[in-house]
């Protein structure tokens, strides 16, 4: 992509292609991608990212 330092989320599954990766973006935004589709990138704000993490940690998805 652009030389960004992507890192695997600690919430990602095992070796079955269930890897979410995160990277900081210029301007303080957060970028997310699925490792199987690295060209598909979602960009969000730190506040929205924090809300998602709190929701996942609390088990309130699904």
């Amino acid at each position: 992509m652009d030389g960004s330092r992507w890192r695997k989320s600690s919430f990602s599954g095992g070796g079955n292609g269930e890897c979410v990766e995160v990277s900081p973006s210029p301007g303080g935004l957060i970028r997310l991608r699925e490792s199987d589709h690295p060209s598909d990138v979602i960009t969000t704000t730190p506040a929205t990212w924090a809300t998602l993490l709190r929701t996942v940690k609390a088990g309130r998805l699904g």
Side-chain angles (χ1 to χ4, degrees):
M1 193 166 175
D2 60 6
S4 297
R5 292 191 178 162
W6 292 90
R7 61 185 183 130
K8 181 179 170 183
S9 169
S10 61
F11 293 104
S12 292
N16 298 327
E18 300 171 358
C19 299
V20 174
E21 298 174 321
V22 297
S23 176
S25 177
L29 297 175
I30 306 294
R31 292 182 288 187
L32 308 165
R33 70 180 183 185
E34 215 280 37
S35 61
D36 288 346
H37 302 281
S39 62
D40 297 336
V41 178
I42 297 171
T43 303
T44 189
T45 65
T48 301
W49 177 239
T51 299
L52 175 63
L53 291 178
R54 279 192 305 274
T55 301
V56 169
K57 288 178 181 180
R60 293 191 307 247
L61 293 178

